[in-house]
Amino acid sequence: MDQFLQLTLSGLTNGAVLALAALGFVLIYKASDVLNFAQGEFLLVGAYVMFALVGELGWHWSIGIVVTVLIAVALGVVLERAVLRPMIGEPIISLIMVTIGLSSLLRAIVSTIWGTDERAFPSFIPSEPIKVLGATVTTDKLWAIGIAAVFLVVFNLFFRRSSEGIAMRAVADDQQAALSMGISVKKIFAMAWSISAATAAIGGIIVANILGVSGNISGLGLQVFPVVILGGLDSIPGAVIGGIIIGLLQAYTGGYVGFGLNSIIPFVVLVLILMVKPYGLFGQEIIERV
Amino acid sequence: MLSLNNIEVIYEDVILVLKGMSLQVPDGQIVALLGANGAGKSTTLKAISGLLKPENGEVTDGSIEFQGEPIHTMPAEDVVRRGIFQVMEGRRVFEHLTVEENLIAGGYTRADRNNLKRDIEMVYTYFPRLKERMKQAAGYLSGGEQQMLAIGRALMAKPKLVMLDEPSLGLAPLLVQEIFDIIKRINEEQNTTILLVEQNALLALDIAHYAYIMENGRIVMDGEPDNLRENADVREFYLGLTEVGQRKSYRDVKHYKRRKRWLS
């Protein structure tokens, strides 16, 4: 029981990070039909920027988070403007190649500046063992889950309540009709990229806080694919639930089975879900009226 | 209020669709634009609303003026902000958004977003059926309800001029009648100018103050609805009536087929 609770908790932590990364991925896909293969590098950049601000410059962590998010937003806008906008109307395969190129570029820039060694992250989240329901867990994991949950709720509210969020979903639904009511599609694309970079940066900070900063963080980007395929490529709740399911599965298989099965299991799920439910759990099938 | 002066529209740099099209829409009126498929009606509306660019179209000659200001080079969002709203052909509601969210999206350009709630209620008074379905995904509405939503979405932007592209498309006759009545009410109560593109000439002439007939990318005839209804060509080709004013019977169709006089 003890072990189960601990595994569940670390699965949730992992899942929350995956959910944040997947959320950004889904957002970009929904708004602009681009599959962003550089999502993992957004995590990486977020983690290193936070490391530089707090670990190297010695800023307070709260300012660090805010500035990191702002930098991520700026990065998203710049990438959309400079790289993605000229590609509008190009075939999907070129878009994929561009984002793959982008991911190599970002990784290279990060390792040029900070090197490839693993560094300890300036732990700003207290990591003390406490007892929850009889199991011993560290508080940093609870914090990570909490932070991720807050952001997920905020984004959900943004999409359901604010008119910018609704406009964003409108663009995802029918670009031309959205244009006809004065919604600026360019602005929405830029917003999608910046929000996506921001959520990924937060995810990156959370991972780095638990695992330390290293180039491995971008490897999480690969696990985003099973998550979004499971949840549905264009579903925001799907990204969250998919992330949590994959996170839990990894923790349980790692804890109970071992043999490195935890790093394979997401892709087993990926293959299975593509065979039985290609739209994913919550993906939109095209609505047909009867 | 709106005037098109001799405009020419070319798609993909080669396809000439509008060939010197002129049209006036006076303030507060309903103006109908009639014509067969492919005459260029929808292109005309898109030229006005700035939606040509995504389809690789361009106004290459002439000018479009709205309240004295040239708008033919403006991007769509600026045109909407100036008060022109196009209800696109085929309804084009946001299927995965609820009815209410569709309406909010319609009011996106509004500066006074605090009044959105009140205006949503206003839309519901015109279309009570939408109120019953406000939390439902718009994709699951019936065709008639989707058309109502598309018009309601336009009202949300508080436009000075609404351009309706074939609001009768694919709807049952009774519903079409209902929607046309509402269009007329909106014109009278909200003092919204309306430019109506239709295939259903009979109905359109019923509610319009003035009408243009379009063929092959230009206006071939215009006038008050009453005068147009009297015109033999219009009766034959748009209203499906014979010269005696009766419904055409295929039994009487013999060798002589009336030719359009205005073309040669």
Side-chain angles (χ1 to χ4, degrees):
Chain A
M1 193 60 200
D2 223 42
Q3 193 194 9
F4 177 76
L5 264 178
Q6 269 172 4
L7 288 177
T8 307
L9 214 58
S10 67
L12 282 178
T13 319
N14 202 356
V17 172
L18 283 177
L20 279 171
L23 184 76
F25 185 92
V26 166
L27 202 57
I28 289 177
Y29 180 76
K30 252 177 102 85
S32 59
D33 275 343
V34 173
L35 294 166
N36 179 23
F37 279 74
Q39 197 68 23
E41 280 65 28
F42 282 177
L43 293 168
L44 187 70
V45 171
Y48 270 100
V49 169
M50 181 74 177
F51 168 73
L53 294 179
V54 178
E56 292 180 339
L57 298 178
W59 292 15
H60 190 261
W61 63 268
S62 55
I63 306 169
I65 288 193
V66 173
V67 174
T68 307
V69 167
L70 288 180
I71 290 177
V73 166
L75 177 73
V77 172
V78 168
L79 287 182
E80 196 276 334
R81 190 68 250 239
V83 183
L84 274 306
R85 192 169 303 173
M87 299 294 292
I88 287 179
E90 298 292 325
I92 184 82
I93 195 80
S94 326
L95 285 169
I96 291 178
M97 290 316 292
V98 163
T99 61
I100 291 179
L102 207 57
S103 78
S104 306
L105 190 69
L106 287 177
R107 214 175 322 149
I109 291 174
V110 165
S111 54
T112 314
I113 301 178
W114 287 286
T116 50
D117 296 336
E118 191 169 329
R119 320 267 195 104
F121 199 70
S123 277
F124 61 91
I125 303 173
S127 172
E128 292 146 13
I130 55 163
K131 283 213 174 271
V132 180
L133 297 170
T136 314
V137 292
T138 48
T139 46
D140 57 344
K141 290 195 170 160
L142 293 176
W143 272 99
I145 295 171
I147 292 174
V150 165
F151 275 98
L152 292 174
V153 168
V154 166
F155 282 115
N156 199 28
L157 282 179
F158 170 74
F159 284 114
R160 302 266 151 214
R161 297 263 180 273
S162 78
S163 67
E164 294 295 332
I166 290 173
M168 215 157 172
R169 285 164 55 218
V171 169
D173 229 44
D174 188 336
Q175 253 180 49
Q176 210 190 8
L179 207 59
S180 85
M181 45 206 61
I183 296 171
S184 165
V185 175
K186 288 175 191 161
K187 190 176 133 199
I188 296 289
F189 281 7
M191 252 167 66
W193 277 86
S194 50
I195 293 179
S196 174
T199 55
I202 293 159
I205 293 172
I206 295 175
V207 195
N209 188 66
I210 295 169
L211 302 176
V213 244
S214 75
N216 296 334
I217 290 175
S218 63
L220 267 176
L222 210 56
Q223 290 175 16
V224 165
F225 289 96
V227 171
V228 294
I229 298 284
L230 174 64
L233 262 180
D234 47 12
S235 163
I236 288 163
V240 176
I241 293 169
I244 291 168
I245 292 177
I246 297 282
L248 285 175
L249 272 179
Q250 279 186 309
Y252 293 147
T253 47
Y256 290 127
V257 187
F259 307 116
L261 188 64
N262 55 336
S263 40
I264 307 170
I265 194 77
F267 300 96
V268 175
V269 173
L270 174 89
V271 172
L272 286 179
I273 202 83
L274 280 178
M275 288 199 301
V276 293
K277 214 167 181 311
Y279 286 110
L281 295 179
F282 303 96
Q284 284 172 356
E285 302 181 35
I286 293 134
I287 290 186
E288 271 185 73
R289 292 185 298 122
V290 223
Chain B
M1 177 184 226
L2 176 77
S3 71
L4 276 65
N5 309 312
N6 238 348
I7 61 162
E8 199 176 86
V9 167
I10 297 182
Y11 280 111
E12 314 264 358
D13 293 328
V14 283
I15 309 161
L16 179 63
V17 180
L18 296 188
K19 310 159 182 170
M21 156 102 190
S22 297
L23 178 111
Q24 316 288 330
V25 183
D27 209 347
Q29 295 209 335
I30 299 180
V31 173
L33 179 59
L34 311 173
N37 284 334
K41 306 182 300 288
S42 297
T43 301
T44 308
L45 293 196
K46 284 176 190 158
I48 300 169
S49 62
L51 289 179
L52 280 178
K53 224 159 279 159
E55 299 183 344
N56 266 327
E58 203 186 348
V59 179
T60 49
D61 199 14
S63 70
I64 303 176
E65 281 172 22
F66 182 64
Q67 297 182 319
E69 195 184 3
I71 56 167
H72 51 279
T73 48
M74 273 182 198
E77 63 243 42
D78 291 351
V79 176
V80 176
R81 274 176 215 283
R82 284 193 174 47
I84 301 183
F85 198 105
Q86 179 180 2
V87 177
M88 293 173 74
E89 185 177 357
R91 311 190 277 266
R92 304 290 282 268
V93 296
F94 301 120
E95 296 189 336
H96 298 97
L97 272 62
T98 64
V99 168
E100 196 147 287
E101 287 168 344
N102 264 278
L103 293 176
I104 293 173
Y108 180 77
T109 50
R110 292 272 295 277
D112 53 335
R113 288 195 184 161
N114 303 329
N115 294 335
L116 279 183
K117 273 250 147 27
R118 196 197 61 209
D119 289 332
I120 289 176
E121 286 305 318
M122 182 268 288
V123 171
Y124 289 154
T125 58
Y126 282 105
F127 306 104
R129 244 188 289 179
L130 293 181
K131 184 161 192 171
E132 293 162 25
R133 308 196 162 226
M134 59 197 223
K135 298 282 175 217
Q136 257 181 46
Y140 292 118
L141 298 183
S142 76
E145 288 160 346
Q146 288 190 351
Q147 187 62 58
M148 294 176 185
L149 181 56
I151 297 175
R153 216 163 46 172
L155 290 181
M156 290 300 295
K158 293 250 152 191
K160 300 184 185 103
L161 168 71
V162 174
M163 304 192 290
L164 296 162
D165 199 348
E166 295 205 21
S168 72
L169 187 80
L171 301 183
L174 264 179
L175 260 175
V176 173
Q177 189 62 54
E178 192 184 332
I179 285 183
F180 272 67
D181 289 344
I182 293 171
I183 294 173
K184 202 169 172 192
R185 264 181 64 205
I186 291 171
N187 167 253
E188 285 161 2
E189 296 172 12
Q190 308 281 326
N191 198 23
T192 310
T193 311
I194 287 170
L195 176 56
L196 173 68
V197 159
E198 253 305 325
Q199 301 262 8
N200 191 335
L202 208 57
L203 271 173
L205 288 179
D206 260 357
I207 64 166
H209 299 107
Y210 200 83
Y212 290 86
I213 294 179
M214 214 183 157
E215 226 158 82
N216 272 321
R218 55 169 72 91
I219 299 290
V220 289
M221 186 178 276
D222 63 299
E224 312 269 325
D226 288 338
N227 296 340
L228 286 181
R229 260 194 290 254
E230 295 304 310
N231 182 286
D233 282 324
V234 176
R235 296 172 77 84
E236 170 92 16
F237 294 110
Y238 288 97
L239 304 178
L241 301 170
T242 58
E243 305 219 12
V244 226
Q246 261 144 23
R247 208 159 252 287
K248 204 165 172 176
S249 155
Y250 279 103
R251 203 172 56 185
D252 303 331
V253 180
K254 292 247 170 78
H255 305 294
Y256 170 71
K257 186 167 179 276
R258 194 185 167 87
R259 290 184 56 180
K260 293 176 188 172
R261 301 275 153 81
W262 60 61
L263 285 184
S264 45

